[in-house]
Amino acid sequence: MRAAVYRRYGGPDVVQVEEVPKPVPKAGEVLVRVRATTVSMGDYRLRSRDLPRGMKILSSLALGVFGPRNKVLGMDIAGTVEAVGEGVTRFSPGDAVIALTGAQFGGHAEFKVMREDAAITRAPSNMDFEDAVALIFGGHTAHAFLSRAGIKAGDEVLINGASGAVGTSAIQIAVALGATVTAVCSAGNADLVRELGATHVIDYAREDFATAGRQYDAVMDCVGNAPFERSARVVKPGGTLMLVVADLPAMLAARRDGKRAGIRVDAGQVPSTAQVLGELVKLAETGKLRPVIDRRYRLDDIAEAHRYLDTGRKRGALVVAP
């Protein structure tokens, strides 16, 4: 099969399409023919080895010190079940599915093996594969953080970095939960975030949300430039600060200082689960969650997708169709 392989860390050109062995499902596994995947910030961090401060040594031990241990990136897939291993009961050949590969990666290929009990579920019935895959990476992260924060009807939520994959999903999910959303983004993305349901929009180039004097029940930082010392003042007492992007020292300091200030801090890993994917499917099928796709690529052009990702101008998802 064809796959986008990287054998060393570096820029976009380290990713090359090669012929590699096609996987065979073992007992309890499902073989998926990949119809669509995305190039995400997770792929960028591994490919470039641009990891958050305090996490580089531990991550390198897990991911490969001298070169990548998993040589095919890709954290999400949408496609059809090609074959199943012995004992699989949840899926059959021909089923349309979506899956989050997580730390296993491997989605940038024509086929991917997933365990039946991993983060895999049936795809939304009202979307094609390219639309469906655009929901997974950002949607799963956003849903997990908002659920842990206990967002409910009437809450006021600020989302910093509202036009990215996580931010665009977070707006829609928060609105579906009944919250009022303030989106922080560039002026060029203001119309997009309003279309997704944001009531208020702050242009970060003209106004600093942290000094505007307004407080929120929850603040979600999807960028990494709003640590505790900047964001705490705009979180209501008893509210939640969600640090989707943060380095280790910032996480530890935020948890410590949050207790003193009476603010709950949520930061760190989001476990990949089929349950959360199922919730995304429900939202998609009821029209409450739609994909935001910036650009589409073929697998042969995946290095171009990485180049665009490196510009930092991505809105929503970058979709790749093998």
Side-chain angles (χ1 to χ4, degrees):
M1 70 172 183
R2 294 161 64 249
V5 177
Y6 80 124
R7 301 185 183 279
R8 58 188 175 87
Y9 302 111
D13 290 331
V14 302
V15 183
Q16 301 290 329
V17 177
E18 300 180 7
E19 291 286 337
V20 300
K22 178 182 173 181
V24 177
K26 300 176 184 176
E29 293 182 340
V30 176
L31 177 66
V32 180
R33 178 183 286 273
V34 180
R35 304 292 186 179
T37 182
T38 73
V39 177
S40 69
M41 282 303 297
D43 300 314
Y44 162 78
R45 289 200 176 278
L46 259 69
R47 188 210 75 221
S48 64
R49 218 176 175 192
D50 181 9
L51 300 168
R53 189 165 53 109
M55 300 179 184
K56 197 160 190 174
I57 294 176
L58 291 176
S59 297
S60 294
L61 292 174
L63 303 173
V65 177
F66 302 106
R69 186 168 287 121
N70 294 328
K71 295 178 174 56
V72 179
L73 296 170
M75 299 185 72
D76 48 28
I77 58 173
T80 52
V81 176
E82 181 84 358
V84 298
E86 182 180 355
V88 171
T89 58
R90 289 182 56 217
F91 302 100
S92 302
D95 287 347
V97 296
I98 59 173
L100 187 64
T101 66
Q104 290 186 356
F105 290 85
H108 295 167
E110 292 180 316
F111 294 91
K112 170 63 180 168
V113 162
M114 297 286 299
R115 285 200 54 80
E116 178 189 30
D117 57 2
I120 177 171
T121 194
R122 283 176 173 76
S125 59
N126 59 337
M127 291 183 180
D128 63 24
F129 291 120
E130 293 188 17
D131 282 346
V133 82
L135 302 176
I136 301 173
F137 179 79
H140 188 282
T141 302
H143 190 286
F145 271 94
L146 292 169
S147 295
R148 294 193 306 218
I151 300 304
K152 62 187 184 301
D155 282 350
E156 293 185 283
V157 179
L158 179 136
I159 300 170
N160 181 46
S163 61
V166 176
T168 52
S169 295
I171 293 170
Q172 297 177 80
I173 295 170
V175 169
L177 291 170
T180 299
V181 174
T182 296
V184 182
C185 61
S186 68
N189 290 321
D191 288 343
L192 168 65
V193 298
R194 286 194 181 97
E195 289 172 10
L196 296 176
T199 301
H200 309 287
V201 181
I202 295 175
D203 174 5
Y204 64 76
R206 302 185 64 178
E207 182 181 358
D208 181 1
F209 75 85
T211 60
R214 185 173 181 179
Q215 289 191 313
Y216 305 86
D217 298 287
V219 171
M220 175 182 281
D221 178 24
C222 305
V223 182
N225 64 0
F228 182 88
E229 56 268 25
R230 181 182 175 206
S231 301
R233 72 189 76 178
V234 300
V235 181
K236 294 178 182 178
T240 303
L241 172 60
M242 296 169 276
L243 299 177
V244 178
V245 181
D247 59 34
L248 185 58
M251 281 192 243
L252 295 176
R255 287 170 178 158
R256 179 198 64 216
D257 296 338
K259 290 181 180 179
R260 296 173 181 170
I263 295 172
R264 182 174 177 270
V265 174
D266 187 6
Q269 296 293 322
V270 173
S272 303
T273 70
Q275 179 182 356
V276 172
L277 289 182
E279 293 299 321
L280 298 181
V281 170
K282 290 178 186 177
L283 289 169
E285 290 181 337
T286 55
K288 296 177 181 177
L289 179 63
R290 69 175 178 87
V292 176
I293 299 175
D294 191 329
R295 298 188 180 188
R296 303 171 192 258
Y297 300 86
R298 305 301 299 180
L299 185 62
D300 288 332
D301 301 317
I302 196 167
E304 285 299 319
H306 280 273
R307 287 189 191 95
Y308 183 64
L309 181 66
D310 284 9
T311 67
R313 298 195 298 267
K314 179 175 72 70
R315 302 196 322 170
L318 301 181
V319 173
V320 177

